[in-house]
Amino acid sequence: MTHRELDAAGITDPELRTAYARCRELNARHGRTYFLATRLLTPDRRPAVHALYGFARRADDIVDGLGSEAGPAERALALDRLEDDLARGLADDAGTEPVVQAVAHTARCHAIEPGLFTDFLASMRSDLTVSSYADYQALRSYMHGSAAVIGLQMLPVLGTVTFREEAAPHAAELGVAFQLTNFLRDVGEDLDRGRVYLPQDLLEAHGVHHDLLRHCRDTGHTDNRVTSALKAFESLTRAAYRRAAPGLAMLHPVSRPCIRTAFVLYGAILDAVAATGYAVLDRRAVVPRRRRALVAADGVLRTAAARTAARRARGGPPAPAARPPLPAEPSGTDGPVRPSSPHREVA
């Protein structure tokens, strides 16, 4: 993490600065799209966003990254230890793990509701035992903790121009939209983990069963039934974006370019999936680098305009030009965190 960001956020304790730096490192390494958009925020807001990402990433690594020898019981115990550490951190700002120290400090500074972290960890635990969802409502219940709460955690950091309660449903829905996008893009990779996030009733309505998905994954062949089901899931995802969109204008003006950039880049993943003919069982759809660069450049211009307007409103000098973020190719860990972890790449 740059000293400028930490200084702007008023973080002076050396141990805490190290903890935030660790979170920024995780974001830069694993959350490519998310990290790019975060760089459009004002420096004082960035450390908190990195902390929220770092904590989500840590939980996600426990669920899927302890090594093949770790079973569900061992992973559940690790999540329990993480939650206990967070409870201590929220109580006295003295968590043990660096990501917990940073996120606890962020939660206290921005008055983030502790129950949001409880709901998040509950969904992470369900990934240890639940491998499919009967219908969209069941999936939505899971995504409340894995995705919607990420948007709600972000809201006090980003700031709003309306009552937070009015913006909250849109922020939560944007988290859901991002996660649904990850599910569609990463359906093949999730299948390898033994999980199918596409609702069972949707798959059955199009004549798709687990063995057919497995066949398409293993052979690289496409099937009209699978394509039809994926198109239906894409429609659900685009509907979530439409419900989230009104919330962009409710954010603080200097935060809007960041979230709008993430909104556009994640939406572009849906376009990339469609461009492949929905052949995502054996490959990952990637947004072309040129489109990512154009979206990033637009974000930089919007950021500079917003900061200049904010400074003029305060009677200060014009804002310096924002440093352009470098567009990166989506990585296998781009997503609030594991390839398909929706929390994982957050609003």
Side-chain angles (χ1 to χ4, degrees), residues 50 55-56 101 140 219 343:
H50 293 317
F55 181 77
Q101 293 171 355
R140 292 280 309 200
T219 66
H343 42 279

Side-chain angles (χ1 to χ4, degrees), residues 157-222:
V157 177
L158 298 172
T160 62
V161 294
T162 185
F163 290 113
R164 192 181 299 173
E165 294 77 9
E166 183 179 355
H170 303 291
E173 194 66 18
L174 187 57
V176 168
F178 287 169
Q179 182 159 59
L180 289 171
T181 301
N182 285 342
F183 286 158
L184 182 61
R185 180 194 61 187
D186 300 334
V187 60
E189 295 170 31
D190 285 329
L191 191 63
D192 290 343
R193 295 186 175 90
R195 302 190 192 111
V196 178
Y197 289 104
L198 277 62
Q200 292 300 304
D201 63 344
L202 182 150
L203 294 174
E204 292 169 3
H206 295 275
V208 178
H209 48 79
H210 184 278
D211 289 345
L212 179 58
L213 292 175
R214 187 73 260 171
H215 172 77
C216 292
R217 173 67 169 167
D218 292 341
T219 66
H221 294 161
T222 58

Side-chain angles (χ1 to χ4, degrees), residues 36 99 105 269 306 325 339:
L36 185 154
V99 296
H105 180 263
I269 294 174

Side-chain angles (χ1 to χ4, degrees), residues 2-11 17 42-45 47:
T2 66
H3 294 298
R4 174 171 168 257
E5 291 174 356
L6 293 167
D7 293 342
I11 300 167
R17 288 170 74 94
T42 53
D44 60 305
R45 286 174 167 85

Side-chain angles (χ1 to χ4, degrees), residues 308-326:
T308 295
R311 289 201 176 199
R312 285 175 176 167
R314 296 194 303 267
R323 181 181 178 184
L326 299 176

Side-chain angles (χ1 to χ4, degrees), residues 48-117:
V49 176
H50 293 317
L52 291 170
Y53 181 94
F55 181 77
R57 181 74 213 184
R58 176 71 179 103
D60 198 61
D61 283 344
I62 290 174
V63 173
D64 279 339
L66 285 183
S68 58
E69 70 284 353
E74 183 178 349
R75 296 174 192 273
L77 285 174
L79 285 175
D80 289 343
R81 288 193 292 269
L82 182 67
E83 185 166 27
D84 290 344
D85 196 23
L86 177 63
R88 289 191 295 271
L90 292 174
D92 58 18
D93 219 12
T96 301
E97 293 195 36
V99 296
V100 171
Q101 293 171 355
V103 80
H105 180 263
T106 288
R108 291 158 66 93
C109 289
H110 295 277
I112 298 174
E113 171 57 45
L116 297 177
F117 296 100

